Amino acid sequence: MRYAVSTDGHAAAAASLAGSLRAQWDAVPTGGLYSYPARLAPSAAELLLEELPRGTLLDPFCGSGTTLVEALRTGRRATGSDASPLALFVAAHRTWRPDERCADEVWESAVEATREDSATARRPRSWAALAKAVTRVEATQRWPGRGESCEAARLAPLSFCLAAAMQRSERHKLSGNAAVDVIGLFRSVAREYVETLRAAPEPDGADGALLLHSDARRLELPSGSVDALLTSPPYPGVYDYLSVARE
């Protein structure tokens, strides 16, 4: 055994917390569509949510939104805040709950961004060229969701897929592998994202989490607007969040 957990205090609460710790430490770090540091394992969040009241859950250090995703999965309303614009951008797209038609439009837009340019008769072969195509396509779109609550969480699903694909490309190169097929990788990530959107449970009165760009120490919410709080605080001495944001 790589670790041991000892408990004290209220027996039922201690057992639940110990179970969530084991779930966190035993979890396989898959990273999800976009890998963000210090991510809470979904299985750990799920166990902890079983001990909390329903209603609206607050995560004041929401990061990439795992706690919010699990809260929505259980039919709760979810509010998250973070000081990092990147965290909110990732969380907005992980907690988005569009209808099937809207999810289909994301895929159609991804295909459109990788089509041959009518002016140059060329497809985007580099990440820079693809980024321009994504910007061009997204400039004509507006996606329904709660991301408009702050600019950092504005929905831009093609840009999200582009960021995830570029991150995978960098890790592919660091592993010593050959250059990737830009279009193929982007479409693969977009397809995976769309399937994730389609598989998400139907929204219960909201099409995602409410996200706020705020330092947790200065977060202001209306009285009575939160029924439970669950969070995994940041680890500034362990993870270099700034370097991750610059990737």
Side-chain angles (χ1 to χ4, degrees):
M1 183 181 246
R2 293 173 293 123
Y3 61 84
V5 178
S6 60
T7 61
D8 195 7
H10 189 280
S16 176
L17 289 171
S20 65
L21 278 174
R22 294 188 185 95
Q24 178 70 23
W25 293 337
D26 291 340
V28 177
T30 59
L33 195 67
Y34 185 95
S35 182
Y36 194 81
R39 180 181 170 197
L40 182 66
S43 53
E46 182 181 2
L47 287 170
L48 290 168
L49 284 170
E50 291 177 358
E51 305 299 320
L52 297 176
R54 301 185 72 81
T56 298
L57 180 91
L58 169 67
D59 184 347
F61 300 99
C62 69
S64 61
T66 297
T67 300
L68 308 178
V69 169
E70 295 305 313
L72 292 172
R73 197 188 310 278
T74 60
R76 289 174 167 87
R77 294 178 297 279
T79 298
S81 73
D82 206 285
S84 166
L86 175 61
L88 292 171
F89 180 72
V90 177
H93 291 87
R94 292 189 64 213
T95 59
W96 188 30
R97 295 295 178 266
D99 58 29
E100 189 170 345
R101 179 191 58 80
C102 194
D104 289 341
E105 289 178 359
V106 172
W107 171 246
E108 292 166 4
S109 298
V111 172
E112 173 65 23
T114 56
R115 284 201 180 109
E116 187 177 277
D117 189 296
S118 58
T120 63
R122 295 179 180 177
R123 287 186 175 186
R125 301 289 182 184
S126 67
W127 291 118
L130 182 56
K132 289 181 180 179
V134 164
T135 300
R136 171 178 54 79
V137 172
E138 283 194 324
T140 64
Q141 300 168 330
R142 189 175 183 86
W143 304 95
R146 302 186 76 186
E148 300 305 319
S149 56
C150 66
E151 180 59 26
R154 184 178 61 85
L155 289 168
L158 296 192
S159 293
F160 175 64
C161 292
L162 177 66
M166 292 178 68
Q167 185 185 67
R168 290 188 184 182
S169 175
E170 285 300 310
R171 295 184 177 185
H172 185 80
K173 287 191 290 186
L174 289 174
S175 300
N177 297 306
V180 300
D181 172 11
V182 170
I183 291 179
L185 180 55
F186 174 73
R187 284 193 176 189
S188 174
V189 169
R191 187 179 296 109
E192 182 181 340
Y193 181 53
V194 169
E195 289 304 317
T196 300
L197 294 177
R198 288 173 176 157
E202 290 292 324
D204 182 16
D207 45 15
L210 175 63
L211 297 171
L212 306 170
H213 188 194
S214 174
D215 185 317
R217 295 169 296 182
R218 299 177 179 85
L219 181 62
E220 296 183 3
L221 293 169
S223 177
S225 63
V226 173
D227 300 291
L229 186 150
L230 176 59
T231 195
S232 175
Y235 304 89
V238 179
Y239 295 97
D240 185 355
Y241 293 92
L242 183 58
S243 293
V244 171
R246 286 173 172 168
E247 283 184 356

